[in-house]
Amino acid sequence: MKNVLPRKEVPRLRVETTRGMQWDIRDQKPENFTMVIFYRGLHCPVCKSYLEELNRKVEKFQEKGVSVICISANNKTLAEKTVKEWK
């Protein structure tokens, strides 16, 4: 991914969301760009703090035409638990 350039096709990235939707970065059409956050998972207190702060600011990003998705390597059960516990 070292050669990711603006306005060029991005590498393939597909995930299933905790809401059961298939999300594909190539299908995104944000006004400006898509911000992809990779975090370690439910076990990480630093990630929890970071994502809680991001969650407070996500509407401001959206107002600026930035879509946001947060991705971890957690399995579906842990990802759903993260959403529930970290809001």
Side-chain angles (χ1 to χ4, degrees), residues 16-31:
E16 183 177 338
T17 70
T18 55
R19 294 180 182 166
M21 298 171 22
Q22 293 295 319
W23 184 91
D24 188 326
I25 195 167
R26 291 182 177 180
D27 294 337
Q28 305 309 301
K29 305 287 186 242
E31 182 182 335

Side-chain angles (χ1 to χ4, degrees), residues 7-85:
R7 296 177 186 75
K8 300 293 181 188
E9 187 174 63
V10 297
R12 189 158 304 282
L13 176 61
R14 289 188 205 155
V15 295
E16 183 177 338
T17 70
T18 55
R19 294 180 182 166
M21 298 171 22
Q22 293 295 319
W23 184 91
D24 188 326
I25 195 167
R26 291 182 177 180
D27 294 337
Q28 305 309 301
K29 305 287 186 242
E31 182 182 335
N32 287 309
F33 65 91
T34 300
M35 179 168 54
V36 181
I37 307 292
F38 293 95
Y39 69 100
R40 294 177 56 187
L42 181 62
H43 68 282
C44 180
V46 174
C47 296
K48 180 180 189 285
S49 197
Y50 178 83
L51 292 178
E52 286 174 337
E53 182 175 348
L54 175 65
N55 197 41
R56 288 189 295 272
K57 298 176 180 180
V58 76
E59 285 183 23
K60 295 223 182 261
F61 281 108
Q62 292 170 340
E63 289 169 7
K64 295 176 188 259
V66 178
S67 65
V68 179
I69 187 166
C70 301
I71 300 172
S72 79
N74 280 337
N75 63 32
K76 183 176 182 177
T77 301
L78 286 175
E80 289 170 345
K81 187 174 179 181
T82 302
V83 169
K84 183 178 178 183
E85 289 184 10

